């Protein structure tokens, strides 16, 4: 039986009108490819309607749908037996965000879509609208209809369809009244749209944006998402800001990957982007030296021996030292590339005997890998996110090791981005300032860097802090309620701000 239909997806004209109404800085255009080219174009792209300065907000938008490990929507949409699984979860980080579980971000998001569909179809049906009157209830119905039509208008990537058992499994655990409103085919389409347009976070949150989904990807982007993916259910709309000055008519892009994915070599990034059904053609992926595949130069012993151009892992390529300018001999280059292959074998899993053999081989070859190599950065980033263990017996040594890890992360990001002032460094500088507890000069150094990043990319937050300091210096107390920009900055530093100076006392 066909499921009830809320309405057709938005037309291109409707999409264009809504996107351009959302921000005076944006134009929606269609890239149909180069004349005479056999390949398809990029489709819908956003371009700058006017000149945009670094740090300027191009778009502030709420997700049209969202899923979180809280299972708040899952509890309303799924049967009691399935929802009961949510009561047995102690640590959300151990849960696959795409598994069939009420606390998975994917299931919670699908639940939200189905609840919106029920609300959209509820003409003349009495539902619980939280005590809303007739006018407000109708406004909610119209809002739900619009969200579903916006969802239907989002692009589907040229990837494989979701696993065949996903939609039937979700259909089986939906509440009977919601099950009647959908079908396996429709749920499968929802899953395809979500996989093609989702944004995620370290907190296993899933956000589906409307205008935000139309920024194209670049591994060398001109925009960034300002901290939205740092916290679960971050309050406030998602902000897209300029990473650098942008000219009129320039295509607008963000990096679909988060660190450490953004730091991968060309081959790793290409594999990740294949899941969205496209390949990146930015300069970093087509012509620049691969800075994040850094090896130790045998001539000068600096960690600046890099492939001269982007190539797949294992593919032969010249390795040139950026410090001394010397090319590595063929035998040494082969050892470097072998070390990368062995690293993939060690961390990629497999038969225990093969992994152990790879570990022994890595012990022989690991001296080739430079400290800036993506494999070493991946380990440093994971350790930094985890934070120091203050309950360890050797907490002083633990803190010293964590400080060294934080310094390594800063060093790698500065080298990779080419600037000490990159928005990805904001939470890291905040963390490093905390670690300089007792060292006033060191603490001031990193606080100055944190402030410089704020001033460049979040000028309104920098101004708010200046005003607050002035109020306190003048002994008239801090100003009133913090601005939404302040809340945004709190999201940005939240990744490393779960521990404080008191933890180190």
């Amino acid at each position: 039986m066909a499921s009830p239909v809320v309405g057709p997806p938005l037309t291109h004209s409707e999409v264009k009108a809504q996107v351009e109404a959302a921000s005076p800085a944006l134009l929606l255009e269609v890239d149909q490819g180069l004349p005479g080219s056999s390949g398809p174009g990029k489709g819908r792209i956003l371009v700058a309607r006017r000149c945009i300065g670094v740090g300027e907000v191009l778009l502030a938008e709420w997700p049209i749908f969202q899923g979180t490990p809280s299972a708040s929507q899952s509890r309303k949409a799924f049967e009691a037996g399935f929802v009961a699984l949510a009561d047995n979860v102690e640590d959300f980080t151990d849960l696959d965000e795409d598994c069939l579980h009420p606390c998975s971000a994917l299931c919670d998001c699908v639940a939200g879509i189905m609840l919106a569909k029920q609300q959209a179809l509820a003409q003349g049906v009495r539902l619980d609208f939280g005590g809303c009157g007739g006018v407000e209830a109708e406004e909610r119905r119209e809002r739900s209809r619009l969200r579903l039509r916006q969802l239907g208008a989002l692009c589907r990537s040229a990837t494989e369809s979701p696993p065949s058992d996903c939609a039937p499994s979700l259909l089986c655990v939906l509440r009977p009244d919601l099950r009647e409103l959908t079908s396996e085919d429709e749920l499968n389409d929802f899953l395809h749209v979500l996989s093609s347009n989702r944004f995620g976070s370290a907190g296993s949150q899933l956000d589906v944006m409307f205008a935000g989904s139309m920024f194209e990807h670049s591994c060398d982007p001109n925009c960034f998402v300002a901290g939205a993916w740092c916290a679960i259910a971050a309050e406030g709309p998602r902000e897209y800001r300029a990473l650098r000055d942008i000219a009129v008519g320039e295509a607008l892009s963000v990096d679909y990957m988060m660190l450490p994915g953004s730091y991968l070599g060309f081959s790793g990034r290409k594999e990740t982007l294949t899941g969205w059904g496209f390949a990146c053609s930015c300069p970093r992926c087509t012509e620049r030296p691969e800075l994040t595949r850094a090896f130790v130069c045998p001539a000068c012993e600096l960690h600046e021996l890099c492939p001269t151009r982007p190539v797949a892992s294992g593919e032969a390529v010249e390795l040139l030292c950026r410090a001394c300018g010397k090319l590595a001999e063929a035998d040494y280059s082969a050892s470097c590339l072998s070390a990368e292959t062995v690293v993939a074998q060690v961390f990629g899993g497999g038969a225990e005997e093969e992994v152990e053999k790879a570990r022994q081989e890595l012990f022989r070859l690991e001296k080739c890998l430079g400290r800036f190599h993506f494999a070493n950065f991946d380990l440093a980033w994971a350790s930094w996110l985890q934070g120091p263990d203050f309950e360890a017996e050797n907490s002083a040594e633990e803190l010293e090791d964590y400080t060294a890890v934080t310094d390594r992360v800063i060093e790698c990001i500065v080298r990779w981005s080419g600037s000490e002032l990159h928005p990805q460094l904001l939470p890291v500088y905040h963390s490093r300032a905390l670690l300089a507890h007792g060292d006033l000069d060191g603490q001031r150094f990193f606080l100055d860097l944190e402030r410089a990043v704020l001033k460049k990319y979040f000028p309104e937050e920098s101004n708010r802090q200046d005003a607050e300091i002035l109020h306190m210096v003048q002994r008239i107390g801090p100003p009133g309620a913090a601005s939404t920009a302040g809340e945004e900055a709190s999201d940005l530093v939240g990744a490393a701000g779960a521990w404080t100076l008191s933890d180190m006392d």
Side-chain angles (χ1 to χ4, degrees):
M1 183 179 66
S3 58
V5 178
V6 171
L10 297 178
T11 65
H12 174 71
S13 296
E14 290 174 317
V15 171
K16 181 176 175 65
Q18 290 188 20
V19 168
E20 294 179 0
S23 170
L26 303 181
L27 284 174
L28 183 67
E29 296 185 353
V30 177
D31 180 350
Q32 297 180 336
L34 297 174
S37 172
S38 59
K42 296 178 180 179
R44 292 186 299 225
I45 61 171
L46 296 177
V47 300
R49 188 196 296 261
R50 54 173 174 78
C51 292
I52 299 167
V54 60
E56 185 176 341
V57 177
L58 292 87
L59 173 69
E61 179 183 49
W62 293 92
I64 55 174
F65 289 102
Q66 187 177 71
T68 73
S70 68
S72 59
Q73 297 170 122
S74 292
R75 293 179 187 278
K76 298 176 183 178
F78 293 118
E79 292 185 324
F82 182 66
V83 170
L85 297 174
D87 299 328
N88 299 322
V89 177
E90 296 181 358
D91 186 356
F92 293 134
T93 59
D94 294 334
L95 194 67
D96 183 345
E97 64 182 31
D98 288 349
C99 68
L100 186 67
H101 193 284
C103 293
S104 82
L106 182 65
C107 285
D108 194 58
C109 190
V110 171
I113 294 172
M114 286 307 306
L115 291 170
K117 184 172 184 180
Q118 183 185 48
Q119 192 174 75
L121 293 170
Q123 188 70 43
V125 178
R126 184 177 182 83
L127 291 177
D128 179 11
F129 287 105
C132 299
V135 174
E136 188 174 349
E138 184 56 33
E139 288 177 352
R140 290 196 176 194
R141 289 189 185 99
E142 287 302 318
R143 174 58 185 155
S144 292
R145 292 184 190 115
L146 176 59
R147 290 162 62 207
L148 289 164
R149 294 187 66 207
Q150 288 175 327
L151 183 73
L154 296 182
C155 295
R156 280 75 166 163
S157 65
T159 56
E160 295 181 2
S161 299
S164 58
D165 60 338
C166 283
S169 298
L170 283 169
L171 188 63
C172 287
V173 294
L174 279 172
R175 281 187 357 224
D177 55 326
L178 293 178
R179 198 180 306 154
E180 293 178 356
L181 302 181
T182 190
S183 65
E184 288 186 14
D185 287 343
E186 183 178 60
L187 288 175
N188 198 61
D189 186 59
F190 290 158
L191 293 169
H192 197 176
V193 174
L194 295 182
S195 67
S196 304
N197 296 278
R198 64 192 291 172
F199 283 90
S201 75
S204 298
Q205 178 174 313
L206 187 158
D207 289 334
V208 183
M209 313 305 295
F210 180 59
S213 71
M214 297 171 204
F215 282 84
E216 67 174 329
H217 166 82
S218 175
C219 294
D220 183 28
N222 54 19
C223 304
F224 68 101
V225 187
W229 324 121
C230 291
I232 295 178
E235 296 181 2
R238 307 298 179 255
E239 289 186 350
Y240 297 79
R241 293 179 180 248
L243 191 57
R244 56 171 173 77
D245 291 337
I246 300 172
V248 176
E250 187 175 345
L252 303 175
S253 59
V254 296
D255 189 342
Y256 289 4
M257 296 176 285
M258 299 182 295
L259 286 175
S262 300
Y263 196 90
L264 286 170
F266 165 70
S267 185
R269 301 196 310 276
K270 180 180 179 181
E271 182 178 351
T272 300
L273 295 175
T274 298
W276 278 289
F278 66 87
C280 182
S281 58
C282 76
R284 188 179 169 207
C285 292
T286 55
E287 58 190 52
R288 293 180 188 163
E290 289 208 70
L291 298 187
T292 61
R293 293 178 66 193
F295 303 95
V296 179
C297 176
C300 67
E301 298 185 348
L302 295 179
H303 298 223
E304 292 290 355
L305 188 68
C306 306
T308 56
R309 57 184 175 81
V311 295
S313 295
E315 183 179 334
V317 65
E318 288 184 332
L319 299 181
L320 178 69
C321 182
R322 298 172 67 245
C324 69
K326 293 186 177 180
L327 285 170
E329 298 289 339
D331 289 348
Y332 187 78
S333 294
S335 295
C336 291
L337 300 181
S338 295
E340 280 189 330
T341 302
V342 173
V343 166
Q345 292 172 346
V346 170
F347 294 101
E352 184 176 343
E353 183 177 331
E354 293 179 0
V355 171
E356 181 58 33
K357 183 179 179 181
R359 284 199 185 98
Q360 295 175 7
E361 182 67 7
L362 181 60
F363 182 77
R364 182 180 70 84
L365 294 171
E366 65 179 347
K367 63 180 182 294
C368 299
L369 294 177
R371 66 178 181 272
F372 304 122
H373 193 278
F374 65 79
N376 285 325
F377 176 78
D378 188 65
L379 294 174
W381 181 259
S383 297
W384 178 74
L385 282 181
Q386 185 175 356
D389 182 4
F390 293 110
E391 297 182 359
E393 293 183 4
N394 54 343
S395 58
E397 183 178 337
E398 175 81 14
L399 199 59
E400 184 177 336
D401 290 343
Y402 186 73
T403 301
V405 162
T406 306
D407 287 339
R408 175 67 58 82
V409 168
I410 292 172
E411 186 182 25
C412 286
I413 295 177
V414 168
R415 177 180 174 275
W416 161 65
S417 66
S419 173
E420 287 185 326
L421 305 182
H422 190 280
Q424 293 273 19
L425 286 165
L426 188 57
V428 194
Y429 285 148
H430 183 80
S431 153
R432 187 60 179 85
L434 291 176
L435 290 166
H437 181 48
D439 176 5
L440 293 181
D441 289 339
Q443 195 166 59
R444 180 172 182 175
F445 175 78
F446 289 105
L447 287 174
D448 284 347
L449 284 170
E450 180 184 12
R451 173 176 165 72
V453 175
L454 275 176
K455 188 173 183 179
K456 182 173 183 178
Y457 295 106
F458 301 89
E460 68 279 12
E461 168 60 15
S462 178
N463 293 337
R464 186 196 68 81
Q465 291 188 4
D466 285 348
E468 184 174 290
I469 291 171
L470 182 62
H471 276 70
M472 296 180 72
V473 168
Q474 294 175 341
R475 298 186 178 182
I476 58 178
S483 66
T484 54
E487 294 172 359
E488 176 64 32
S490 297
D491 289 339
L492 282 163
V493 299
W499 51 275
T500 64
L501 291 177
S502 61
D503 293 316
M504 291 185 277
D505 292 335

